[in-house]
Short mmCIF file of all heavy atoms in Angstrom, two decimals:
data_model
loop_
_atom_site.label_atom_id
_atom_site.label_comp_id
_atom_site.label_asym_id
_atom_site.label_seq_id
_atom_site.Cartn_x
_atom_site.Cartn_y
_atom_site.Cartn_z
N GLY A 13 69.82 141.75 168.89
CA GLY A 13 69.87 141.54 170.33
C GLY A 13 70.39 140.18 170.73
O GLY A 13 69.97 139.60 171.73
N ILE A 14 71.35 139.66 169.95
CA ILE A 14 71.88 138.32 170.18
C ILE A 14 72.79 138.31 171.42
O ILE A 14 73.70 139.12 171.52
CB ILE A 14 72.63 137.82 168.94
CG1 ILE A 14 71.63 137.61 167.78
CG2 ILE A 14 73.41 136.54 169.22
CD1 ILE A 14 72.28 137.34 166.45
N ASP A 15 72.51 137.39 172.34
CA ASP A 15 73.28 137.29 173.58
C ASP A 15 74.52 136.42 173.44
O ASP A 15 75.53 136.65 174.11
CB ASP A 15 72.40 136.72 174.71
CG ASP A 15 71.20 137.61 175.02
OD1 ASP A 15 71.41 138.77 175.43
OD2 ASP A 15 70.05 137.16 174.84
N GLY A 16 74.44 135.42 172.61
CA GLY A 16 75.56 134.52 172.39
C GLY A 16 75.36 133.79 171.08
O GLY A 16 74.26 133.74 170.54
N ILE A 17 76.46 133.25 170.54
CA ILE A 17 76.36 132.57 169.25
C ILE A 17 76.66 131.09 169.39
O ILE A 17 77.44 130.67 170.26
CB ILE A 17 77.27 133.21 168.18
CG1 ILE A 17 78.75 133.10 168.55
CG2 ILE A 17 76.89 134.66 167.95
CD1 ILE A 17 79.68 133.59 167.43
N ALA A 18 76.02 130.32 168.54
CA ALA A 18 76.34 128.91 168.36
C ALA A 18 77.12 128.81 167.06
O ALA A 18 76.58 129.06 165.98
CB ALA A 18 75.07 128.06 168.30
N LEU A 19 78.39 128.50 167.16
CA LEU A 19 79.27 128.46 165.98
C LEU A 19 79.23 127.06 165.38
O LEU A 19 79.51 126.08 166.05
CB LEU A 19 80.69 128.85 166.37
CG LEU A 19 81.65 129.17 165.22
CD1 LEU A 19 81.22 130.43 164.48
CD2 LEU A 19 83.08 129.32 165.74
N THR A 20 78.88 126.99 164.10
CA THR A 20 78.70 125.70 163.44
C THR A 20 79.73 125.49 162.33
O THR A 20 80.36 126.42 161.85
CB THR A 20 77.29 125.59 162.82
OG1 THR A 20 77.15 126.56 161.78
CG2 THR A 20 76.21 125.84 163.88
N LYS A 21 79.89 124.23 161.95
CA LYS A 21 80.70 123.81 160.79
C LYS A 21 82.17 124.23 160.89
O LYS A 21 82.82 124.49 159.86
CB LYS A 21 80.08 124.31 159.49
CG LYS A 21 78.73 123.66 159.18
CD LYS A 21 78.33 123.85 157.74
CE LYS A 21 77.13 123.00 157.38
NZ LYS A 21 76.77 123.08 155.95
N LEU A 22 82.70 124.27 162.10
CA LEU A 22 84.13 124.55 162.25
C LEU A 22 84.96 123.51 161.51
O LEU A 22 86.01 123.84 160.94
CB LEU A 22 84.50 124.56 163.74
CG LEU A 22 85.95 124.88 164.08
CD1 LEU A 22 86.30 126.32 163.72
CD2 LEU A 22 86.25 124.60 165.55
N ASP A 23 84.49 122.27 161.47
CA ASP A 23 85.24 121.18 160.85
C ASP A 23 85.45 121.38 159.36
O ASP A 23 86.39 120.80 158.78
CB ASP A 23 84.53 119.85 161.10
CG ASP A 23 83.09 119.85 160.60
OD1 ASP A 23 82.25 120.51 161.23
OD2 ASP A 23 82.82 119.18 159.58
N VAL A 24 84.61 122.18 158.69
CA VAL A 24 84.76 122.42 157.26
C VAL A 24 86.07 123.14 156.95
O VAL A 24 86.63 123.02 155.87
CB VAL A 24 83.54 123.22 156.73
CG1 VAL A 24 83.72 123.61 155.26
CG2 VAL A 24 82.27 122.40 156.90
N LEU A 25 86.60 123.86 157.94
CA LEU A 25 87.85 124.60 157.75
C LEU A 25 89.08 123.73 157.99
O LEU A 25 90.21 124.20 157.76
CB LEU A 25 87.89 125.81 158.70
CG LEU A 25 86.75 126.84 158.53
CD1 LEU A 25 86.88 127.94 159.56
CD2 LEU A 25 86.73 127.41 157.12
N ASP A 26 88.89 122.49 158.43
CA ASP A 26 90.02 121.60 158.67
C ASP A 26 90.87 121.45 157.40
O ASP A 26 90.35 121.31 156.29
CB ASP A 26 89.55 120.20 159.09
CG ASP A 26 88.90 120.17 160.46
OD1 ASP A 26 88.91 121.20 161.17
OD2 ASP A 26 88.37 119.10 160.83
N GLY A 27 92.18 121.48 157.58
CA GLY A 27 93.09 121.23 156.47
C GLY A 27 93.50 122.44 155.67
O GLY A 27 94.35 122.34 154.78
N LEU A 28 92.92 123.61 155.97
CA LEU A 28 93.33 124.82 155.28
C LEU A 28 94.58 125.38 155.96
O LEU A 28 94.63 125.52 157.17
CB LEU A 28 92.21 125.87 155.32
CG LEU A 28 90.96 125.57 154.47
CD1 LEU A 28 89.86 126.60 154.76
CD2 LEU A 28 91.30 125.56 152.98
N SER A 29 95.57 125.70 155.16
CA SER A 29 96.82 126.22 155.74
C SER A 29 96.66 127.66 156.21
O SER A 29 97.37 128.11 157.10
CB SER A 29 97.95 126.14 154.71
OG SER A 29 97.62 126.88 153.54
N GLU A 30 95.71 128.36 155.61
CA GLU A 30 95.51 129.78 155.92
C GLU A 30 94.02 130.07 155.92
O GLU A 30 93.28 129.62 155.06
CB GLU A 30 96.23 130.63 154.87
CG GLU A 30 96.21 132.05 155.01
CD GLU A 30 97.01 132.79 153.95
OE1 GLU A 30 98.22 132.96 154.13
OE2 GLU A 30 96.40 133.19 152.93
N ILE A 31 93.57 130.83 156.92
CA ILE A 31 92.15 131.19 157.05
C ILE A 31 92.05 132.70 157.23
O ILE A 31 92.85 133.31 157.95
CB ILE A 31 91.51 130.46 158.26
CG1 ILE A 31 91.60 128.94 158.06
CG2 ILE A 31 90.06 130.89 158.44
CD1 ILE A 31 91.15 128.15 159.27
N LYS A 32 91.04 133.29 156.58
CA LYS A 32 90.88 134.74 156.67
C LYS A 32 89.55 135.10 157.32
O LYS A 32 88.56 134.39 157.21
CB LYS A 32 90.97 135.36 155.27
CG LYS A 32 92.34 135.20 154.62
CD LYS A 32 92.38 135.87 153.26
CE LYS A 32 93.76 135.72 152.63
NZ LYS A 32 93.84 136.40 151.30
N ILE A 33 89.55 136.25 157.98
CA ILE A 33 88.35 136.84 158.57
C ILE A 33 88.25 138.28 158.09
O ILE A 33 89.23 139.04 158.20
CB ILE A 33 88.37 136.81 160.11
CG1 ILE A 33 88.38 135.37 160.64
CG2 ILE A 33 87.16 137.55 160.68
CD1 ILE A 33 88.45 135.29 162.17
N CYS A 34 87.08 138.67 157.60
CA CYS A 34 86.85 140.06 157.22
C CYS A 34 86.59 140.88 158.47
O CYS A 34 85.67 140.59 159.25
CB CYS A 34 85.67 140.16 156.26
SG CYS A 34 85.20 141.84 155.82
N VAL A 35 87.38 141.95 158.67
CA VAL A 35 87.26 142.78 159.88
C VAL A 35 86.75 144.19 159.57
O VAL A 35 86.39 144.94 160.48
CB VAL A 35 88.61 142.87 160.61
CG1 VAL A 35 89.03 141.49 161.11
CG2 VAL A 35 89.70 143.46 159.72
N ALA A 36 86.71 144.56 158.31
CA ALA A 36 86.22 145.87 157.89
C ALA A 36 86.08 145.86 156.37
O ALA A 36 86.46 144.88 155.70
CB ALA A 36 87.16 146.99 158.34
N TYR A 37 85.53 146.96 155.82
CA TYR A 37 85.42 147.09 154.38
C TYR A 37 86.14 148.35 153.90
O TYR A 37 86.21 149.35 154.63
CB TYR A 37 83.95 147.20 153.93
CG TYR A 37 83.06 146.09 154.39
CD1 TYR A 37 81.92 146.37 155.15
CD2 TYR A 37 83.32 144.77 154.07
CE1 TYR A 37 81.07 145.37 155.56
CE2 TYR A 37 82.48 143.74 154.48
CZ TYR A 37 81.37 144.06 155.23
OH TYR A 37 80.53 143.06 155.64
N ASP A 38 86.62 148.27 152.70
CA ASP A 38 87.12 149.45 152.00
C ASP A 38 86.09 149.80 150.93
O ASP A 38 85.82 149.00 150.02
CB ASP A 38 88.47 149.17 151.36
CG ASP A 38 89.04 150.40 150.64
OD1 ASP A 38 88.45 150.83 149.64
OD2 ASP A 38 90.06 150.92 151.08
N ILE A 39 85.51 151.00 151.03
CA ILE A 39 84.55 151.48 150.04
C ILE A 39 85.04 152.83 149.54
O ILE A 39 85.04 153.82 150.28
CB ILE A 39 83.12 151.59 150.61
CG1 ILE A 39 82.67 150.26 151.22
CG2 ILE A 39 82.16 152.04 149.52
CD1 ILE A 39 81.29 150.31 151.87
#
């Protein structure tokens, strides 16, 4: 029942040329 998120540690991704997000699974 989460209404909103607090997104943390965005700075850890600094300097990466490419970033991925998992959007689904293949099973």
